[in-house]
Amino acid sequence: MNVILRLLAAGLLISIAQAAHPTRDWTSSDGKSKFQGDLIEFSDKEVKIRRRSDFNQFRLPLDRLSKEDQDYIHSLLREKRRDAGVKDGAYATKITGQFTKGVSKQGMNYQIWGNPKIEATERYPLVIWLHGAGQSGDDNEAQMGGAPKLWLDEAHQKQGPCFMLAPQCPSRDIGWKNEVADKLLALIADVADHLPIDDTRIYLTGSSMGGSGTWYIAAKYPQVFAAAVPLCGGADAKNAEILKNIPFWVFHGDQDDMVPVERSRTMVEAVKKAGGEVINYSELAGEGHGITGVVYPRSDLHEWLFKQKKASQTSN
């Protein structure tokens, strides 16, 4: 009986594998050979395919296939890696239910939060928090002040489970620009490659220098972010055309004596003029510069942000 059960289980697994990888038209690397077949096994070195015309099964080195086919296999490998990423992967030891420190391959300090009990075959949003100028440095601690940690409590996670990334800018003189922005994007890409992140739901938010950094990084990498929430920041209005397709919710206190409220007003007006349809602006009456404790607890912001989603860019 055990043998029969194992055979039935094996048959079921084959059916599941076939359903997961539908019949595909394959092309050789030189473009001379094309055939239709089912993917049976794959790795970063080779594939095993069952040809539909005669049901023969054979192995091929991955580099014998077209770039399109290689990209398809690499996308499957990425998803397999992401499925296992919480328990066994480059960031697995950092997914503890607490903020955990790390240093990226490019040398950027960061802290990351994730729930080790999530269903890892699902995909979840990633929230990136950018701190203000006074929290810059190399202690990998100061950047946590002002972060929207309340979004990680049990109630918020039940409503909108997510991962959160809090990088640290090395110097206020540099800010969230140039090589710092590039290092951050490399870190985001690496996290998304190794954890079950929903590529269509990557959110960017920050306050003060981090608010300006939110505008800047969204303009530099507009294809990455599903939404952005800059607090008491500002940027170059010339970037409005680039930013018009990103949903924004902008916050600024009308009594801010450190970053003039006109900076947010100017950006909001410029994006609207460029045709931005989702550009919300909340000017907080009587509030000064420190508004994170007022903004992030807002249930309407949390609900709005986690509804934002980019169109999927994946393909076969």
Side-chain angles (χ1 to χ4, degrees):
M1 177 62 75
N2 288 338
V3 173
I4 294 173
L5 288 174
R6 286 200 298 271
L7 288 172
L8 288 172
L12 178 61
L13 288 173
I14 290 172
S15 297
I16 292 172
Q18 290 172 353
H21 310 305
T23 300
R24 179 181 174 84
D25 293 325
W26 302 87
T27 305
S28 63
S29 56
D30 59 10
K32 295 180 179 179
S33 176
K34 296 184 179 183
F35 62 94
Q36 193 175 68
D38 302 316
L39 180 63
I40 305 300
E41 296 175 4
F42 60 93
S43 72
D44 61 348
K45 302 295 184 184
E46 65 176 16
V47 294
K48 182 178 181 181
I49 298 174
R50 180 173 55 235
R51 191 163 50 204
R52 273 297 176 116
S53 61
D54 55 14
F55 298 104
N56 281 337
Q57 296 185 18
F58 53 89
R59 295 183 182 276
L60 275 176
L62 195 57
D63 60 9
R64 293 280 300 278
L65 292 171
S66 68
K67 183 181 184 304
E68 181 181 358
D69 289 336
Q70 290 184 46
D71 288 344
Y72 173 67
I73 296 299
H74 285 306
S75 72
L76 294 179
L77 288 167
R78 181 179 188 254
E79 294 311 308
K80 184 177 180 182
R81 184 169 63 242
R82 280 145 53 88
D83 285 345
V86 171
K87 301 296 183 183
D88 181 22
Y91 294 90
T93 59
K94 296 178 172 61
I95 305 305
T96 65
Q98 302 289 331
F99 273 103
T100 306
K101 295 179 181 179
V103 181
S104 75
K105 298 171 184 176
Q106 293 75 29
M108 171 168 274
N109 286 332
Y110 67 88
Q111 292 196 33
I112 191 169
W113 187 96
N115 180 359
K117 297 180 181 180
I118 60 169
E119 178 54 59
T121 54
E122 300 292 330
R123 297 293 181 258
Y124 303 90
L126 173 64
V127 177
I128 298 102
W129 153 254
L130 303 182
H131 64 74
Q135 298 155 297
S136 303
D138 59 7
D139 65 350
N140 209 0
E141 290 275 2
Q143 78 265 32
M144 303 310 300
K149 297 178 185 178
L150 77 165
W151 291 349
L152 306 177
D153 65 23
E154 185 176 354
H156 283 89
Q157 283 297 295
K158 187 174 182 180
Q159 180 184 359
C162 68
F163 291 85
M164 188 173 289
L165 183 65
Q168 186 176 37
C169 180
S171 170
R172 64 189 302 159
D173 295 330
I174 301 173
W176 297 106
K177 296 182 179 181
N178 304 324
E179 70 273 13
V180 175
D182 294 339
K183 287 180 179 181
L184 174 57
L185 263 292
L187 172 59
I188 293 170
D190 198 56
V191 167
D193 275 347
H194 291 88
L195 288 172
I197 303 298
D198 184 345
D199 294 323
T200 69
R201 299 177 70 199
I202 298 178
Y203 307 131
L204 185 62
T205 186
S207 180
S208 192
M209 184 182 82
S212 297
T214 297
W215 285 110
Y216 176 88
I217 292 173
K220 189 171 186 180
Y221 304 98
Q223 74 282 6
V224 174
F225 303 102
V229 182
L231 282 58
C232 51
D236 190 342
K238 293 179 181 178
N239 289 326
E241 184 67 26
I242 301 172
L243 295 166
K244 69 179 183 181
N245 294 320
I246 301 174
F248 274 87
W249 195 335
V250 183
F251 293 87
H252 214 123
D254 68 355
Q255 300 301 309
D256 193 328
D257 59 357
M258 294 184 68
V259 179
V261 67
E262 286 76 19
R263 296 200 66 198
S264 284
R265 292 174 181 169
T266 299
M267 286 303 301
V268 170
E269 184 60 31
V271 174
K272 285 184 176 180
K273 189 175 180 181
E277 296 183 359
V278 186
I279 178 76
N280 305 309
Y281 179 48
S282 293
E283 192 167 297
L284 308 178
E287 294 291 341
H289 190 63
I291 59 173
T292 56
V294 176
V295 172
Y296 290 133
R298 293 177 57 143
S299 59
D300 56 346
L301 171 62
H302 184 268
E303 182 179 356
W304 174 86
L305 182 63
F306 281 78
K307 284 182 178 178
Q308 306 308 309
K309 187 173 184 177
K310 290 183 71 70
S312 176
Q313 297 179 355
T314 59
S315 64
N316 287 345

